[in-house]
Amino acid sequence: MIICPKCGQPMPEGTAHCPNCEKENADEQSQFSQPENTIIPAEEVKADQTGVSPKSRLCAMLLGIFLGPYGVSNFYLGKIGRGLAQCLIYCFGFILYVVSIFGAAFHSGNMLIGHSPIWKGLLMMTVSYIWALVDWILVAAGKARDGKNLPVKIWIHDK
């Protein structure tokens, strides 16, 4: 018969651990720690372990190139407010631009920028394009952050 050096209780032969000590340790751990069989999403584990966003840098750059003025890259990175603001600025500028072109063509026949509000729509769309370009440069340089303020560093997201 083997006696456990920690608790002094007899241990069955052929066992490496005392059943009594394991039970006490398990009771203590269950009060203070998270259970081992808890399912944690892979994105959270990856972000917590590396301190880096699970979002793909390449995907954010491609979205920024093709759909940047609409704010899609910001939506992808989890910055919903910024994406919505950028989308609204672009769409409102586009609507203003189209309405002013048709208004100038139908009413006065003169589409000079000084005589119609075409420049306001162009200015708003230009702001959205510059915003998209700055966001794209930040992602390309590795300085962008996602909605949880984690740096976007991974080029291709591997699963």
Side-chain angles (χ1 to χ4, degrees):
M1 180 182 284
I2 301 172
I3 306 250
C4 176
K6 289 185 180 177
C7 66
Q9 297 293 326
M11 289 178 20
E13 290 187 24
T15 59
H17 302 287
C18 173
N20 191 34
C21 290
E22 283 182 355
K23 183 179 177 186
E24 290 174 6
N25 288 338
D27 289 341
E28 290 174 10
Q29 288 179 355
S30 67
Q31 293 175 358
F32 301 109
S33 67
Q34 184 178 12
E36 292 181 22
N37 60 354
T38 302
I39 298 173
I40 300 173
E43 288 182 350
E44 289 182 22
V45 171
K46 190 169 190 175
D48 289 340
Q49 289 177 351
T50 62
V52 176
S53 173
K55 303 290 184 178
S56 168
R57 200 164 147 192
L58 179 64
C59 184
M61 287 180 65
L62 289 173
L63 288 171
I65 288 171
F66 295 112
L67 301 170
Y70 307 113
V72 175
S73 61
N74 282 320
F75 284 119
Y76 171 72
L77 292 176
K79 299 176 179 181
I80 306 301
R82 287 176 56 126
L84 188 61
Q86 190 173 6
C87 183
L88 288 174
I89 288 172
Y90 183 83
C91 290
F92 187 70
F94 181 76
I95 291 168
L96 186 62
Y97 176 73
V98 170
V99 167
S100 63
I101 285 178
F102 284 121
F106 288 122
H107 293 298
S108 66
N110 188 357
M111 291 180 27
L112 295 174
I113 293 179
H115 295 290
S116 65
I118 291 176
W119 64 272
K120 293 176 186 174
L122 287 174
L123 180 66
M124 291 181 78
M125 289 190 300
T126 302
V127 166
S128 185
Y129 275 105
I130 292 171
W131 187 350
L133 178 64
V134 169
D135 282 348
W136 187 85
I137 290 170
L138 287 173
V139 171
K143 302 293 183 187
R145 293 188 170 268
D146 68 357
K148 295 179 182 177
N149 205 22
L150 295 171
V152 180
K153 298 279 186 182
I154 300 171
W155 279 100
I156 297 173
H157 183 66
D158 54 337
K159 288 193 175 195

